[in-house]
Amino acid sequence: MIDVKLKNIMSAVFEVSVDKINDESSPDSIENWDSLNLMNLVVSIEEEFNIQFDDDEIADMLNFKLIKEIVSLKIK
Amino acid sequence: MDDLKYFEILNLNNRLKQSISKDQYNISVLSNITVNQFKEILELPLRLEEINAVVQIGDYDNIVQDSIKYGNSNVIIIFWEACNLLDGLHFKIHAFNDDEFNQLYERIKCEIDLVLKNLQNAQLILFNKFTPLCFSSYDLVENKLDILTSKLNLYLKEKIFSNLKIIDVEKTLFNVGIENSFDFRNYYSSKALYTINFYRKYTYSILPFIRSANGKSKKILIFDCDNTLWKGILGEDGFENIQMSSKTKAGQIFNEIQNIALELNKKGILLGICSKNNLDDVQKVIDSHPDMILKDENFTIKKVNWIDKATNIKEIASELNIGIDSVVFVDDSSFEINLIKETLPEVNVIQVPEKIFEYPNVLRSKLGLFYSLSQTIEDINKVNIYKEQIERNNFEKGFNTIEDFLTSLELNVTVQKNNSRIISRISQLSQKTNQFNLTTKRYTESDIEAFLNLKDNLIFTFSVSDKFGDNGIVGLCIVILDFVSCSGYIDTFLMSCRVIGRNIEFKFMDFLIEDLKSNNINKLYSTYVRTLKNNQVEKFYDRLGFSELDSEENKISYCLDLNEFQPSKINYINIDYDRC
C-alpha cells in the first residue's frame, strides 16, 4: 500500500511512469531526480502521510528502497 | 484545487500540459529565495481556466539580472524577501547601527530602481510588498526589520506605474496563518521559505490579475431573488413580509448583499436576475419596496419566469453577446446550483450559505472574479449600452441535458390518501400556495376535517425527496367523486414552489388517473381559476389532454375521458403510496 502510494508520488514529481520505478531507482537512473525535485518529493510525501522528516532522514533518501524503509519506520 | 494534494496538482498539471493547445502565456517569477514549488501550483488553476500558463522560475537571488532576462514575459512576479536581503539579515539587522541600516536601505532602493527600469515595458508586474512577518511576528513593538520593510514599501508606492501592482502578501499570510505559511526546515536547508499551503492561497489571490490580463474576468453577476436578494419567498410571504432592511436582523444581511452588488454595478459589472416568480411581483418589489437598494436601472436583464434556469442563463449570455464563461450565478437552492453546475459547467456558481451570516463574506470573497486591470469610463457606461442593445436570439433549448439532470436527482414522490394526521399541513398548503395552484381555494383545518368525513372525497397529499434531501409534504389534490356517474371533479390541485420545474405535477397526474381508473372512475372534470399569481398553470389541463368545456372571464372548465388519457413518458421519477 505504501509502495503504491510512494510510486504514484514519485511518478508525479519526477514525471516518470509508475512501471519504471523499482527499488534501485535513484538520481542516477531517473533524469529529473535532482535536489530541487527531491525537496518536492519530501514535501509531497509529508503531506500525503502527515509526517515530517528531519534532515538526516532526507539525507538518507538515496534510492526508492531506502525511501520506502524510511517512510515505513516513520509511520509506525 | 484546495482539495488536491501537491503531488495530485503535479499530476494533473502534467496531463493538462500535454493536452492544452492554446498559445503559451509566460509567467516569470523573480526571487531572492527558493520558490520552485510555486510553479505548478500557479500553472494548474490557470490551465483549468484555459490559459496555457508556463511559469519560469528565475535564478536564485538574481532579481536584478533576471529583470533584464525575463523583461518580455507576459507577467512577472517578484518575491523579494526582506529576511534574505543579506544572508541572515533577519537577525543581523538588530545589531546594525544607523549607518549600516541606511547603507542597506539605499542599496536596496537602487536595486528596486534598476529592476523597475528594466521592467518598465512589461505587460504586468506583481510585486509582493516587503514583509518582516516571518521573523517579526512576536515583536509587538516596531523593530529594525519592521522599519526597513515599511520604508521600502513607502518607496515602492512612490515608484508605482500602471502595469505595476503591489501585492499585499500579508493579507494572504493572515488568511493562511503565519505558522502555516513558513517552512523553517526548508528555509534553513535551501532557502525555500514558503509552504505549499501558502502558495495555494497566494495563487488564489493573484488569479484575478492574470484572468483579467487574459480578458477572462467575469462580466455579469446574476441573482436569484427569494432568499438571495431578500429574506423570504415573495410568492408565499408576500410583498409586506420579505425582508431586506438594514434595521432588521434578517434583513441586514440582504441589505449588505445588495450594496455589494450596487458597488460592483457602479464599476461596470452587469447585474441580472434569474428567478422563478411572477415578473409583475418582482417588478413591484424592485420599483416600490422601500428597502430595495438595487433599482431597475441596475439590472441589465431579468429572466423572471417558470422556464428552467439553465435555459434562462444561456439566453442571458446570448442576448448580451457575452461568453457563458463570464457569468457568475448566485442562488440559495441546491437544486438550481447543481443544475447549473452540471448543465453549464463554465458558469461560476455561488450558493447562499445555510449560515446566512456568512453570506456577505462568501460574496465578498468572490469579488476577485470580476476584477479588471483597467477600469475605464467605458466599462461604467457599458452597463447602459448593454441594456439598450438587448435582442432576442434563437437558441437551442437543450432539454435532453435537463432530462439527464433530473434523472440524476433520483426523484421520489410518496403519496398519501386521506391522512387525517396532517390536517394542519393540508390547510396550510391551501392557504399559502399561490403560484402553482389551479383553483386557489383556501381551507381551514375544520374544512379539511369535514372533507375527510365524506366518503366521496379523496384528499391526496404527496411529498418529494431527491438525492439531496426531503422536501416534505409539498402537494395537495382534492378530488370529489360521483360514483353514480363514475366521474370525479378536481376541486384542488396545488404544489409548493419548492418543487416546481421537475415535472412532478405530470407524474402525479399519471398516478392519480391510474388510481381513479382502477376505482371505476372514467371521467374527470376540472377547473382553472385565473388569479394574479397563477398564470404559470394556465395551460396545465390543456397540456394533459383535457378538453375545454366552457370558459368565462377568469375561469375555464375542462373534462377528460380517462380511457383516452395519454400518460407522460417520464421514467425518472418514482411514485408510490406511502407504505406506512
Side-chain angles (χ1 to χ4, degrees):
Chain A
M1 195 33 189
I2 298 183
D3 197 271
V4 171
K5 279 190 181 183
L6 284 177
K7 278 191 183 176
N8 282 333
I9 294 175
M10 279 182 72
S11 163
V13 172
F14 296 138
E15 286 180 76
V16 295
S17 69
V18 173
D19 37 284
K20 293 230 166 65
I21 301 172
N22 54 48
D23 280 2
E24 282 74 47
S25 298
S26 74
D28 295 326
S29 62
I30 293 185
E31 201 185 327
N32 291 329
W33 188 325
D34 56 24
S35 56
L36 280 174
N37 277 331
L38 178 61
M39 181 163 62
N40 291 341
L41 181 68
V42 166
V43 163
S44 300
I45 296 175
E46 291 178 333
E47 188 186 23
E48 171 68 13
F49 294 98
N50 206 9
I51 51 183
Q52 202 181 38
F53 297 113
D54 51 47
D55 280 335
D56 292 336
E57 288 165 322
I58 298 174
D60 284 340
M61 289 183 180
L62 299 167
N63 60 43
F64 182 56
K65 180 156 181 265
L66 286 168
I67 293 176
K68 267 192 296 185
E69 283 168 11
I70 295 167
V71 174
S72 308
L73 274 172
K74 198 79 186 185
I75 297 182
K76 291 212 179 80
Chain B
M1 205 186 60
D2 276 345
D3 47 347
L4 287 179
K5 303 219 171 115
Y6 181 54
F7 81 91
E8 290 168 329
I9 293 175
L10 295 179
N11 244 339
L12 187 51
N13 190 42
N14 281 334
R15 292 211 308 267
L16 280 180
K17 196 162 58 176
Q18 322 277 5
S19 62
I20 200 168
S21 58
K22 308 244 150 80
D23 285 337
Q24 272 187 15
Y25 186 78
N26 294 311
I27 303 178
S28 304
V29 183
L30 278 44
S31 180
N32 68 336
I33 55 167
T34 303
V35 292
N36 294 67
Q37 279 140 18
F38 182 37
K39 175 177 157 71
E40 285 86 1
I41 296 178
L42 180 56
E43 283 176 353
L44 179 61
L46 289 172
R47 286 190 169 135
L48 287 172
E49 291 194 31
E50 311 265 301
I51 298 171
N52 189 10
V54 176
V55 175
Q56 175 78 41
I57 305 284
D59 292 324
Y60 172 76
D61 204 14
N62 264 252
I63 295 181
V64 175
Q65 301 90 318
D66 283 344
S67 65
I68 304 172
K69 206 163 149 191
Y70 297 113
N72 50 14
S73 302
N74 297 105
V75 185
I76 294 153
I77 302 177
I78 300 180
F79 274 80
W80 208 329
E81 297 304 322
C83 56
N84 208 32
L85 290 173
L86 280 179
D87 196 36
L89 181 67
H90 58 282
F91 61 90
K92 291 178 181 165
I93 195 172
H94 301 299
F96 277 14
N97 58 36
D98 288 346
D99 276 339
E100 288 164 321
F101 183 95
N102 285 322
Q103 246 184 41
L104 176 63
Y105 173 59
E106 291 302 324
R107 194 194 89 193
I108 304 301
K109 270 188 356 186
C110 282
E111 289 184 12
I112 291 175
D113 287 344
L114 195 45
V115 168
L116 292 182
K117 177 153 162 283
N118 290 334
L119 294 177
Q120 63 191 319
N121 294 318
Q123 290 177 33
L124 177 61
I125 306 164
L126 303 178
F127 198 131
N128 289 343
K129 246 172 78 162
F130 289 94
T131 174
L133 280 178
C134 181
F135 295 99
S136 183
S137 66
Y138 301 114
D139 255 335
L140 299 179
V141 178
E142 214 181 27
N143 61 34
K144 292 207 170 97
L145 192 58
D146 298 325
I147 297 173
L148 177 65
T149 53
S150 291
K151 289 179 75 149
L152 287 171
N153 285 329
L154 271 173
Y155 185 67
L156 253 189
K157 247 175 136 171
E158 287 168 34
K159 308 284 295 182
I160 213 162
F161 53 93
S162 67
N163 295 344
L164 172 64
K165 303 291 172 195
I166 310 290
I167 304 295
D168 189 350
V169 67
E170 291 186 338
K171 287 190 178 169
T172 301
L173 289 171
F174 295 148
N175 270 320
V176 179
I178 302 286
E179 289 177 15
N180 291 324
S181 301
F182 298 114
D183 186 332
F184 289 111
R185 194 248 340 251
N186 285 344
Y187 184 65
Y188 287 115
S189 71
S190 40
K191 298 287 188 194
L193 182 61
Y194 292 108
T195 61
I196 304 289
N197 284 331
F198 169 81
Y199 287 128
R200 278 185 228 260
K201 273 279 178 354
Y202 177 82
T203 295
Y204 182 76
S205 77
I206 63 167
L207 280 182
F209 297 108
I210 302 177
R211 207 183 266 130
S212 173
N214 278 278
K216 286 179 183 270
S217 10
K218 308 297 169 179
K219 300 192 167 75
I220 185 168
L221 179 56
I222 301 178
F223 283 97
D224 168 45
C225 289
D226 295 321
N227 287 317
T228 302
L229 280 179
W230 52 71
K231 170 148 176 76
I233 297 176
L234 180 57
E236 285 181 11
D237 301 320
F239 182 96
E240 303 293 333
N241 296 319
I242 54 175
Q243 295 182 63
M244 59 191 109
S245 157
S246 58
K247 299 194 178 69
T248 71
K249 190 162 155 216
Q252 62 174 325
I253 301 286
F254 297 94
N255 176 270
E256 185 170 343
I257 295 294
Q258 289 197 25
N259 274 297
I260 293 173
L262 182 63
E263 285 315 300
L264 259 189
N265 190 234
K266 287 185 190 162
K267 288 191 196 158
I269 305 301
L270 309 180
L271 298 180
I273 286 181
C274 180
S275 170
K276 286 188 173 143
N277 249 307
N278 285 332
L279 179 57
D280 292 339
D281 293 343
V282 171
Q283 196 63 49
K284 182 172 173 215
V285 174
I286 295 174
D287 292 337
S288 52
H289 198 288
D291 304 320
M292 186 82 190
I293 301 289
L294 293 167
K295 295 294 165 201
D296 203 59
E297 71 244 22
N298 299 119
F299 293 110
T300 305
I301 189 163
K302 299 192 275 293
K303 292 282 181 191
V304 184
N305 54 44
W306 304 96
I307 306 172
D308 71 274
K309 293 197 182 191
T311 300
N312 276 320
I313 290 178
K314 273 197 280 194
E315 272 190 27
I316 290 176
S318 157
E319 286 175 35
L320 297 180
N321 209 18
I322 57 180
I324 195 80
D325 60 349
S326 55
V327 174
V328 181
F329 173 58
V330 191
D331 200 306
D332 64 305
S333 154
S334 299
F335 171 82
E336 303 292 2
I337 291 292
N338 282 302
L339 172 67
I340 300 306
K341 261 192 186 161
E342 297 198 17
T343 57
L344 296 174
E346 312 95 315
V347 170
N348 265 79
V349 294
I350 301 175
Q351 182 164 4
V352 177
E354 266 192 55
K355 295 183 189 160
I356 200 67
F357 52 83
E358 292 178 357
Y359 183 20
N361 192 43
V362 166
L363 183 60
R364 197 169 276 121
S365 72
K366 304 279 185 175
L367 292 180
L369 290 167
F370 299 99
Y371 175 79
S372 175
L373 284 168
S374 64
Q375 230 127 63
T376 61
I377 308 288
E378 287 149 62
D379 277 335
I380 295 165
N381 283 331
K382 183 172 58 188
V383 178
N384 297 326
I385 296 171
Y386 273 122
K387 238 187 139 96
E388 288 157 20
Q389 264 181 9
I390 289 175
E391 288 167 18
R392 237 187 153 68
N393 298 322
N394 287 324
F395 65 97
E396 222 185 309
K397 288 231 178 211
F399 180 75
N400 285 338
T401 351
I402 312 288
E403 236 180 37
D404 288 339
F405 172 72
L406 290 176
T407 306
S408 74
L409 286 181
E410 297 166 29
L411 290 159
N412 250 308
V413 179
T414 309
V415 184
Q416 297 173 325
K417 204 194 288 194
N418 295 338
N419 187 346
S420 54
R421 282 169 291 146
I422 52 171
I423 288 178
S424 169
R425 177 64 179 150
I426 293 173
S427 163
Q428 184 191 56
L429 275 171
S430 76
Q431 309 260 9
K432 289 194 73 176
T433 310
N434 297 316
Q435 289 158 329
F436 196 108
N437 193 335
L438 275 298
T439 50
T440 316
K441 290 186 179 180
R442 310 293 189 188
Y443 292 122
T444 61
E445 291 185 25
S446 41
D447 289 331
I448 302 296
E449 258 193 80
F451 269 128
L452 283 170
N453 286 329
L454 296 170
K455 65 172 170 47
D456 293 340
N457 292 345
L458 295 176
I459 301 192
F460 292 92
T461 47
F462 58 85
S463 59
V464 177
S465 69
D466 60 30
K467 74 177 179 194
F468 295 110
D470 197 331
N471 287 294
I473 296 170
V474 289
L476 171 65
C477 181
I478 301 179
V479 183
I480 300 172
L481 299 175
D482 179 350
F483 290 111
V484 170
S485 61
C486 293
S487 67
Y489 169 65
I490 303 179
D491 170 273
T492 294
F493 183 44
L494 55 83
M495 239 175 39
S496 162
C497 54
R498 250 181 271 166
V499 290
I500 286 173
R502 299 165 218 199
N503 293 328
I504 297 196
E505 59 274 28
F506 297 109
K507 194 69 182 178
F508 175 76
M509 287 305 291
D510 288 348
F511 180 89
L512 174 71
I513 289 170
E514 239 349 273
D515 193 87
L516 291 175
K517 275 165 79 170
S518 68
N519 281 311
N520 246 335
I521 303 295
N522 47 38
K523 236 186 168 77
L524 250 191
Y525 295 93
S526 65
T527 323
Y528 165 63
V529 177
R530 185 194 315 276
T531 66
L532 289 173
K533 299 191 181 226
N534 70 351
N535 58 329
Q536 70 167 298
V537 289
E538 195 181 358
K539 294 288 176 206
F540 179 61
Y541 288 126
D542 301 85
R543 288 172 73 181
L544 287 167
F546 280 68
S547 329
E548 227 181 81
L549 277 183
D550 190 13
S551 87
E552 297 158 38
E553 201 182 311
N554 281 326
K555 193 168 151 174
I556 308 178
S557 338
Y558 295 90
C559 171
L560 177 69
D561 181 337
L562 296 193
N563 294 317
E564 286 176 8
F565 174 67
Q566 306 272 26
S568 76
K569 300 265 173 53
I570 295 172
N571 57 2
Y572 46 81
I573 302 176
N574 282 330
I575 185 165
D576 209 348
Y577 273 113
D578 194 339
R579 287 295 158 213
C580 317

